[in-house]
């Protein structure tokens, strides 16, 4: 399954729309305007909140928590690396490693050393645009939350 995550440029807060292969909006991602640290909500097409991302403050490296129904579902931590970015995700549905390339444009998503998804950032677009490829359609909202957390880890490091 392919999902296309596009950032809305002219917005006061973080805002993304997630499209399926047919160009239909399947998720909407919206950040809170006035918050201490990043707080981002992921909604389905019926405006029901699926996940909530919260930035942990006062940490050495960027760290985000992903909640589902007010319950901690996953923790995304950036690892110390000098050439290519690496993030670890510990979650209720397993542990994942996301490894980026030299330019932080492409990431692989692995679980137990098995490739289960890929993230490709598009070049020369208005706002950040990602293509997310996952093998499990049921977890597409969770993988979308991980992409948003990666985007924040890489582009907002000075906030942590």
């Amino acid at each position: 399954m392919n999902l296309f995550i596009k950032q809305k440029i002219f917005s006061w807060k973080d805002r993304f729309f997630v499209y399926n292969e047919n160009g239909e909006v399947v998720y909407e991602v919206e950040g809170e305007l006035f918050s201490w640290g990043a707080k981002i909500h992921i909604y389905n097409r019926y405006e029901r909140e699926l996940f909530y991302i919260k930035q942990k403050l006062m940490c050495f490296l960027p760290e985000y928590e992903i909640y589902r129904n007010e319950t901690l579902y996953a923790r995304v931590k950036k690892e110390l690396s000098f050439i290519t970015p690496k993030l670890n995700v510990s979650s209720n549905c397993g542990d994942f490693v996301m490894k980026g390339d030299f330019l932080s444009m492409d990431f692989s998503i692995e679980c137990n050393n098995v490739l289960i998804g890929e993230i490709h950032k598009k070049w020369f677009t208005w706002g950040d645009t990602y293509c997310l490829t996952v093998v499990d359609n049921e977890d597409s909202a969770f993988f979308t939350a991980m992409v948003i957390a990666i985007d924040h880890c890489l582009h907002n490091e000075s906030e942590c």
Side-chain angles (χ1 to χ4, degrees), residues 41-116:
H41 304 269
I42 299 172
Y43 302 98
N44 67 9
R45 68 180 98 191
Y46 306 109
E47 299 180 8
R48 185 176 143 251
E49 184 178 83
L50 302 175
F51 289 98
Y52 170 82
I53 303 168
K54 179 179 171 185
Q55 179 184 13
K56 285 193 70 173
L57 299 174
M58 308 297 235
C59 52
F60 177 66
L61 293 170
E63 187 174 330
Y64 291 80
E65 295 175 334
I66 301 173
Y67 292 86
R68 179 179 230 164
N69 300 326
E70 301 300 321
T71 302
L72 181 62
Y73 191 79
R75 183 169 280 123
V76 179
K77 293 182 180 182
K78 185 173 184 209
E79 296 296 317
L80 186 61
S81 60
F82 297 104
I83 297 176
T84 60
K86 180 180 176 185
L87 295 99
N88 288 321
V89 179
S90 55
S91 76
N92 294 353
C93 60
D95 295 334
F96 303 91
V97 175
M98 296 184 282
K99 298 177 186 174
D101 66 357
F102 178 68
L103 297 174
S104 300
M105 298 294 282
D106 297 313
F107 283 82
S108 63
I109 304 171
E110 299 176 2
C111 182
N112 298 325
N113 293 324
V114 176
L115 182 68
I116 60 166

Side-chain angles (χ1 to χ4, degrees), residues 138-156:
E138 292 179 24
D139 290 335
S140 63
F142 174 58
F143 286 111
T144 299
M146 287 197 304
V147 171
I148 299 302
I150 288 174
D151 179 73
H152 245 268
C153 276
L154 298 178
H155 295 103
N156 301 327

Side-chain angles (χ1 to χ4, degrees), residues 119-131:
I119 304 164
H120 302 286
K121 186 173 181 183
K122 302 289 184 184
W123 290 83
F124 308 114
T125 60
W126 286 90
D128 292 334
T129 302
Y130 300 95
C131 176

